[in-house]
Amino acid sequence: MSEHDESFAYQNFDTILRQMMQELGVSRMVTNYRIKADPDAPYFLISLRLGKARASIKVSDMALVDASPDGGKITITDENWAPALLTRLWQQYGRDAVEQLTRYEIIVHGATPEALSSMELDPGEELRNHVLDAVWRIFPEGFKVRHNLVDDQVMTILGTEHDLKEEWIKIAEDLHEEMHHVKEED
Amino acid sequence: MYEVLLFDGGVYKINELYELIEDVGGFVIQKTQVQVQITVTLAIPEEERPAIEAKTVELGGKLIDVPLAGTEIAVVAPTLGRHHMPHPTCDIAEQLRRAGAITVVMGLARGKGRRTAQISADEKAVIEEYDAAVFVLGNFKDCILEHKVKLFEDLEVPVVAVCGPEIDDLPSCEGLVCGVGRKVERMRREEEIHKLEEVGTTIEEVVRQKRKELDEDPLFVHPAEIKDRIAELEEVQRSLRPAPIVLHLDGLRVKIPYAEWKDQIAAVEVYGRRLGDIADISDSRLGGSTLIRIKTRAEVESG
């Protein structure tokens, strides 16, 4: 461990994390977190316990799906989901096949209406992206060698400058495991 | 010794102020007019201050102390990436501008990281062109004491380090302000504003010290005395840069290309001598600028 007193750094990172999550609108989705760092090693470790995202939703629940001459036509009824829907359609059918006529109407060439209406949108992915964005911004910039442990509940990211040592990965794994059992915001 | 002040007032009868400044042997460094309001940065012999104060009252203006006027200061951060700390860096630069300095914010190309943080010879040479440098460092004491301190250990210009953790003593720097660290937003809270003021006063102290050293072996002429003559050059008048001539403690930066204008600059006449004889004129590392370092009286007279 570092021979210096690093309490300022811990306190400062705590503030940065809170402010950053607030700025990105994910503070309610992260229920608990831990930051560990040893500047002497050096490694930086951050572990976040993720809250529940909105339940996944079917396309038929947020839009009307009809057949159209060369594919399926989607009329969005709940616009909150529009960006996620569009991203998903682009991923699955490609940008060329997705034609957005108006703000609410999308034609997907070569897709059946049945396939479109049974498609599910997972908000968890969006949440993870936001949280990951917050973590990237907080992480010391030079620590580019990273090791990630991610599951539905906890996201742990370890970073260093040069080689990652087994003992640090072990510390990260232990913390990752510990985060599964902590209470909310203690 | 010259004292630099800022007049803030209206344009009505402003010529009377200009005449008085000239009469007492002072100079106008910069004028910024916005409609009928005008701010004038002026340099006067310090014993003439009461006369200027009286004229300011007569004109209904205000006279503000600008302790850093006539200096150019570099504010350096290991990187300017969003990751790092652009907010404190910009806030510190703004604080110094309020005190009258011209500032430049600089990020190092390979400054990020701990052991990987480094500064190139080119970057050092750029920083050396300024009157002083402020290094804005991060959160970890270990990182600052063991590694970041190397970024400025060879610099000859005075350095003020700003960092997060409380450190009693940091080598290779003339001033140290602790308690800033990384921030994700502007420094607007009361304690943060006090911190900015502390950085300002530390830099003022460093600059005052450098001025004192210069006074021991005084310059042949004050940079402000040369400014007006250089401002008459055609290329300077054509320059669209906001401050085409910047004063340094021991010279000036003229933002016109060295290669094309060095002869005309050297030929400028100052008190019966060529500027080329009483100053070293060199190319600046920042493109399109020329540096003038005025020789001391002893250097000129012995040469």
Side-chain angles (χ1 to χ4, degrees):
Chain A
M1 280 304 272
S2 166
E3 57 191 87
H4 304 291
D5 168 28
E6 301 290 6
S7 54
F8 177 89
Y10 287 116
Q11 219 175 346
N12 191 273
F13 273 112
D14 200 79
T15 322
I16 296 177
L17 182 72
R18 280 172 194 274
Q19 287 178 338
M20 192 64 81
M21 288 195 301
Q22 204 173 8
E23 199 180 308
L24 292 170
V26 290
S27 26
R28 273 192 292 164
M29 298 176 190
V30 175
T31 56
N32 208 326
Y33 62 88
R34 293 269 193 285
I35 295 174
K36 267 191 183 177
D38 184 353
D40 197 30
Y43 69 81
F44 188 87
L45 173 58
I46 183 165
S47 186
L48 305 162
R49 166 114 189 205
L50 305 174
K52 276 207 172 62
R54 291 180 286 184
S56 67
I57 185 170
K58 278 189 170 183
V59 171
S60 53
D61 294 333
M62 44 76 63
L64 302 170
V65 182
D66 300 310
S68 90
D70 58 347
K73 181 183 173 206
I74 301 175
T75 311
I76 298 168
T77 49
D78 181 356
E79 207 186 352
N80 284 330
W81 288 94
L85 172 65
L86 213 50
T87 314
R88 186 69 204 277
L89 291 174
W90 284 340
Q91 278 171 354
Q92 195 153 340
Y93 297 100
R95 287 207 178 218
D96 294 340
V98 182
E99 190 182 344
Q100 194 172 11
L101 301 176
T102 65
R103 202 163 129 189
Y104 298 111
E105 291 168 310
I106 299 170
I107 288 189
V108 187
H109 300 286
T112 61
E114 295 76 37
L116 288 178
S117 40
S118 61
M119 186 187 272
E120 277 190 10
L121 298 179
D122 178 15
E125 218 168 301
E126 185 193 356
L127 162 74
R128 269 196 293 278
N129 281 340
H130 274 121
V131 175
L132 214 52
D133 190 18
V135 173
W136 285 165
R137 291 189 193 189
I138 296 155
F139 231 77
E141 198 178 343
F143 286 21
K144 296 226 182 280
V145 182
R146 297 203 174 135
H147 182 80
N148 306 334
L149 301 161
V150 181
D151 57 39
D152 286 346
Q153 290 177 319
V154 182
M155 181 188 278
T156 305
I157 294 159
L158 168 71
T160 184
E161 263 184 333
H162 294 287
D163 300 341
L164 268 178
K165 289 193 182 151
E166 280 302 323
E167 51 187 281
W168 304 338
I169 297 178
K170 179 78 178 62
I171 294 172
E173 283 169 353
D174 290 348
L175 183 66
H176 188 73
E177 189 50 41
E178 187 193 321
M179 286 301 281
H180 281 92
H181 308 295
V182 293
K183 284 194 227 112
E184 291 193 359
E185 214 39 82
D186 58 9
Chain B
M1 205 168 110
Y2 281 97
E3 187 173 11
V4 184
L5 299 164
L6 182 82
F7 168 88
D8 186 2
V11 290
Y12 178 63
K13 286 189 176 175
I14 192 73
N15 280 337
E16 290 184 11
L17 178 74
Y18 295 156
E19 277 165 25
L20 180 66
I21 293 169
E22 213 179 311
D23 291 347
V24 299
F27 308 90
V28 172
I29 296 173
Q30 200 175 1
K31 297 175 203 168
T32 315
Q33 187 178 342
V34 180
Q35 297 191 345
V36 294
Q37 286 296 308
I38 190 161
T39 54
V40 182
T41 314
L42 48 108
I44 46 155
E46 52 190 350
E47 60 276 13
E48 300 293 348
R49 184 174 175 149
I52 299 288
E53 270 173 356
K55 182 53 91 181
T56 307
V57 172
E58 190 189 320
L59 295 179
K62 273 189 306 190
L63 208 55
I64 302 160
D65 276 311
V66 273
L68 293 179
T71 62
E72 194 178 25
I73 294 168
V75 184
V76 188
T79 84
L80 288 182
R82 201 194 150 116
H83 271 292
H84 226 269
M85 39 207 155
H87 293 293
T89 309
C90 294
D91 288 333
I92 289 168
E94 188 186 332
Q95 179 72 25
L96 300 182
R97 281 196 296 276
R98 284 185 186 178
I102 302 273
T103 58
V104 57
V105 168
M106 183 175 163
L108 302 179
R110 299 266 184 277
K112 59 181 185 279
R114 185 174 168 271
R115 260 165 57 196
T116 49
Q118 45 186 287
I119 183 166
S120 70
D122 246 3
E123 286 165 335
K124 276 185 200 165
V126 169
I127 298 170
E128 293 285 5
E129 288 183 6
Y130 295 88
D131 289 315
V134 182
F135 272 77
V136 188
L137 306 174
N139 279 345
F140 289 111
K141 210 182 229 184
D142 177 271
C143 181
I144 296 164
L145 288 170
E146 312 288 334
H147 297 274
K148 289 291 194 297
V149 71
K150 291 180 187 139
L151 295 180
F152 48 81
E153 67 185 359
D154 303 332
L155 288 177
E156 278 173 26
V157 290
V159 169
V160 171
V162 177
C163 63
E166 284 301 324
I167 296 176
D168 299 329
D169 186 36
L170 194 64
S172 322
C173 66
E174 279 71 18
L176 175 67
V177 179
C178 305
V180 178
R182 262 178 75 176
K183 294 200 183 288
V184 291
E185 56 182 18
R186 299 290 304 272
M187 295 170 73
R188 335 171 240 238
R189 295 196 183 87
E190 194 190 346
E191 66 274 13
E192 291 173 329
I193 290 169
H194 288 313
K195 257 310 151 208
L196 285 175
E197 283 166 358
E198 195 183 327
V199 177
T201 37
T202 313
I203 271 283
E204 278 165 32
E205 184 48 49
V206 165
V207 167
R208 195 174 305 132
Q209 193 58 37
K210 195 171 170 183
R211 276 204 176 113
K212 221 188 246 175
E213 282 168 23
L214 281 172
D215 273 355
E216 286 169 12
D217 187 9
L219 299 177
F220 184 71
V221 284
H222 189 270
E225 294 177 73
I226 298 179
K227 183 184 177 269
D228 283 348
R229 297 189 173 86
I230 290 181
E232 288 161 12
L233 288 176
E234 191 193 335
E235 181 70 6
V236 175
Q237 287 178 348
R238 272 211 308 259
S239 172
L240 295 174
R241 294 164 90 162
I245 305 178
V246 175
L247 295 189
H248 286 181
L249 289 175
D250 60 351
L252 310 102
R253 177 195 298 284
V254 189
K255 295 177 182 165
I256 56 176
Y258 171 75
E260 291 163 45
W261 289 87
K262 57 176 189 280
D263 297 331
Q264 285 90 330
I265 293 176
V268 168
E269 198 189 300
V270 186
Y271 296 130
R273 289 176 191 253
R274 288 175 73 247
L275 181 58
D277 297 335
I278 60 157
D280 295 320
I281 302 172
S282 59
D283 198 3
S284 163
R285 294 274 171 162
L286 294 182
S289 293
T290 305
L291 278 184
I292 301 174
R293 199 195 64 81
I294 301 166
K295 291 180 185 167
T296 60
R297 210 172 287 163
E299 274 177 315
V300 174
E301 275 156 18
S302 65

